[in-house]
Every structure is written in structure tokens, then in C-alpha cells.
Amino acid sequence: GAVVSQHPSWVICKSGTSVKIECRSLDFQATTMFWYRQFPKQSLMLMATSNEGSKATYEQGVEKDKFLINHASLTLSTLTVTSAHPEDSSFYICSAPGTTTDTQYFGPGTRLTVL
Amino acid sequence: KNEVEQSPQNLTAQEGEFITINCSYSVGISALHWLQQHPGGGIVSLFMLSSGKKKHGRLIATINIQEKHSSLHITASHPRDSAVYICAAERNYGGSQGNLIFGKGTKLSVKP
């Protein structure tokens, strides 16, 4: 079946640095990918919709200048957390809709810890 | 009030029991998703449905559009079913698939 991968699976960084998270669709093309985050003991929340060849669409309250999204190809979207702060520590997950089935394929997630 | 509400929050069952998890939503939707999240965080999509009922193995999902309610049933539960089950409403924007509002999840623990 379709697989979505994320890299890295976990990252620890210092406050003020930037972190890039990759989301790849491994055996299918995804013109659209979605980025979510999940704080401890809270629901997943959609952050933004990544569109290949055009600007990402951000949900209300998500700073586009802080969370940079680049959908460079039909199989890769990246999320860069710029000037990370401890409150950005979270579990970041991407997903991509399947091309032939009514489903979403989720990546395994990236756990970000900002010290 | 959350737009997607799940119940119960926590559920402990004995192996073999029939399990039901409920989800109510208050927004217009194009589809309703049931997801399974394992302790490591990885998420698996179980069902996406917009009407009626779907079955996959021991899992059954139903939705009542008029009542804005969906249920996930697990028959003959097994310890490996232990996970967090999440209901997610796909908003009826007419736009991109995947614009999801998530419930808080139901943590299921099945004891042997």
C-alpha cells in the first residue's frame, strides 16, 4: 500500500535554531500534503495544506513566516520551523490523500523538542 | 464545545468483548474518518465514510448524517487492538481533501 515517510523521526534542537522536517510519498504522487501537530494529551490539529507548485494554505493562528512549507516536488513537502522555541515542541505529522482510494496516508510523525 | 466530540475518553475491555466508540460532530462534513494511533504516535487510517456503513475485518464503522453521529465497533477485541482511536471530520469546504478536525481520541486498552 501507499506509504508516507517523515524524516527525522525525532529531533532535539536549541531555542532559536531552525529545524526542517521532510514528508515524502514513497510510491505515489501527492499534489497536496497536509501538516498537523499534536501537543501532549491534545488533539491533532491541521496546521497547513501544502500544494505542489503553489503557496501553502495556513490554518488560522498558524504563522506562515514561522512555519515555512515548501512542496518542491510531487513526492516531497518540507516543513521548516524557524527560530524554534520550547513552545514549538510537539509531534508533527504529515499526510497525503491516496490517488485511488478514499483515504489519507499518514506519515509516522516527527517529535520535535526545543530546549 | 469541540466541533468533534468522542466518547468514551478511556475504555478498558477484556479480550473478546465487543467495543463501541462514539463520535458526534457539529460541522458540515464531506466525510468522517476513523484513525488509529499507536503509542509511538504513528497513525493509520481505518475508515473514511460519508454514508452508511463500512466493514474491514473485525472493524465496523457507521455514520448517521442526519444525526451527525458515527460509531466505530470492534468485534472480538484483542490486546493488539489497544491504541488511541481518533474520529476526524473532513470539513465540507468543497476544497482540498484532508481538511480535518480531530476529536480528542479514545484510549482503548484490551486486557488478555
Side-chain angles (χ1 to χ4, degrees):
Chain A
V3 176
V4 172
S5 71
Q6 280 185 242
H7 177 80
S9 54
W10 59 271
V11 57
I12 301 172
C13 70
K14 291 183 179 179
S15 188
T17 60
S18 294
V19 175
K20 182 187 283 189
I21 303 169
E22 294 183 348
C23 177
R24 292 184 186 271
S25 56
L26 295 185
D27 54 1
F28 67 105
Q29 294 181 333
T31 55
T32 303
M33 290 182 175
F34 303 94
W35 287 97
Y36 311 89
R37 63 182 167 187
Q38 184 178 36
F39 293 108
K41 300 192 187 302
Q42 293 192 24
S43 308
L44 282 154
M45 290 192 66
L46 178 66
M47 296 177 67
T49 303
S50 173
N51 303 298
E52 191 270 336
S54 64
K55 290 183 180 179
T57 306
Y58 291 82
E59 293 299 300
Q60 194 173 12
V62 178
E63 300 172 57
K64 63 178 181 5
D65 294 329
K66 180 170 180 62
F67 298 98
L68 301 179
I69 290 174
N70 183 21
H71 200 132
S73 74
L74 288 171
T75 58
L76 173 64
S77 174
T78 60
L79 169 68
T80 301
V81 183
T82 62
S83 188
H85 285 92
E87 56 265 32
D88 299 323
S89 298
S90 187
F91 190 60
Y92 292 86
I93 305 173
C94 68
S95 77
T99 52
T100 58
T101 58
D102 292 333
T103 191
Q104 283 284 324
Y105 296 103
F106 288 83
T110 297
R111 192 162 300 281
L112 169 64
T113 301
V114 184
L115 302 177
Chain B
K1 188 177 186 298
N2 293 332
E3 292 171 298
V4 178
E5 296 272 3
Q6 281 185 241
S7 64
Q9 271 190 300
N10 293 284
L11 181 56
T12 301
Q14 286 298 126
E15 183 173 357
E17 284 185 1
F18 180 82
I19 288 162
T20 296
I21 299 170
N22 295 300
C23 175
S24 297
Y25 55 91
S26 57
V27 294
I29 69 167
S30 57
L32 192 290
H33 296 251
W34 281 102
L35 312 171
Q36 181 189 54
Q37 186 171 29
H38 289 281
I43 292 176
V44 174
S45 176
L46 300 175
F47 295 103
M48 173 178 155
L49 65 165
S50 53
S51 65
K53 176 179 172 179
K54 285 189 177 180
K55 184 176 190 292
H56 186 249
R58 294 181 294 106
L59 302 178
I60 303 166
T62 63
I63 189 168
N64 184 318
I65 298 294
Q66 286 73 31
E67 295 185 3
K68 295 189 173 180
H69 182 270
S70 177
S71 294
L72 176 69
H73 306 285
I74 304 175
T75 61
S77 60
H78 191 275
R80 64 174 175 267
D81 297 327
S82 298
V84 174
Y85 292 83
I86 302 169
C87 166
E90 186 164 334
R91 283 181 278 200
N92 192 10
Y93 278 174
S96 54
Q97 180 185 6
N99 200 327
L100 302 176
I101 308 172
F102 297 85
K104 291 188 175 181
T106 295
K107 186 174 181 180
L108 171 66
S109 178
V110 182
K111 305 293 186 189

